[in-house]
Amino acid sequence: MIKRYDAYIKLVTAKNSNVGLYVKQAVARQLADLEREKTKDFPYYFDKQEAARWLGFISILRHTSGEWKGQFFQIQDFQAFRWAVLFGWQRKDGNGRRFRRAYIEVARKQGKTEEAAAIALGGLLIDGEETAQIFSAATTRQQAKIVYGAAKIMAREL
């Protein structure tokens, strides 16, 4: 799975790449941070094994609705990059991940609920925190419960 992360970096840094500015900036930041991690003062390190563990976990989950219902997640290169960055960066002082919050904007009908449910389950099951608390926020309580419902279905399928 980590190869998909590397493939996405190569795709974005190619001369004829047709991706947006923010994507280019995210990849540039990742590459710069990988260089910075070699310095003594940089407080983070990129743990490819941890990134691969998360990607592996997400890949065993199944979609809960729509045309892909019941099928395993087919992680795309851009998703592998996003999740590897979010979960791979760790603090050198041993106090967990570098990123504790992320803003992810996705168009309608592109799997936001499934992705949020997968990340919530990972936080509960593989993060290693004894009393993990996972929150889902939305404009209404009913909307927030949708992610919970998807996570519940995914957990039953494990």
Side-chain angles (χ1 to χ4, degrees):
M1 285 294 161
I2 204 73
K3 290 180 182 177
R4 301 203 78 143
Y5 150 86
D6 291 327
Y8 192 67
I9 289 174
K10 286 180 184 168
L11 172 82
V12 171
T13 56
K15 285 189 179 190
N16 59 350
S17 177
N18 188 21
V19 297
L21 175 63
Y22 293 144
V23 172
K24 288 179 183 178
Q25 288 175 338
V27 169
R29 182 191 66 205
Q30 176 70 358
L31 294 172
D33 286 351
L34 288 170
E35 288 301 313
R36 290 174 61 201
E37 84 171 310
K38 298 172 186 171
T39 66
K40 185 179 79 169
D41 295 334
F42 194 63
Y44 310 106
Y45 68 97
F46 186 70
D47 186 340
K48 278 195 172 189
Q49 288 181 326
E50 182 65 8
R53 189 170 76 96
W54 272 84
L55 292 170
F57 173 75
I58 292 170
S59 72
I60 66 166
L61 299 174
R62 295 176 187 265
H63 288 274
T64 63
S65 64
E67 66 183 277
W68 295 293
K69 183 177 181 172
Q71 295 181 33
F72 289 106
F73 277 56
Q74 298 295 317
I75 297 174
Q76 302 299 306
D77 293 351
F78 74 93
Q79 293 168 318
F81 173 79
R82 176 174 39 209
W83 296 332
V85 169
L86 285 176
F87 300 113
W89 281 104
Q90 304 292 312
R91 298 173 59 93
K92 287 181 181 175
D93 64 10
N95 286 330
R97 285 192 296 272
R98 175 183 183 181
F99 301 111
R100 298 207 176 271
R101 295 183 193 152
Y103 175 77
I104 300 170
E105 190 170 329
V106 181
R108 287 185 39 140
K109 300 293 181 191
Q110 297 298 312
K112 290 183 291 290
T113 298
E114 303 288 304
E115 183 174 348
I119 290 169
L121 273 182
L124 286 172
L125 300 175
I126 69 166
D127 223 9
E129 188 173 329
E130 210 169 292
T131 57
Q133 294 182 356
I134 307 297
F135 298 92
S136 178
T139 56
T140 67
R141 182 183 187 120
Q142 188 62 31
Q143 229 178 359
K145 286 174 70 175
I146 294 170
V147 171
Y148 171 77
K152 190 172 165 182
I153 293 168
M154 284 179 193
R156 282 191 196 132
E157 297 285 324
L158 285 174

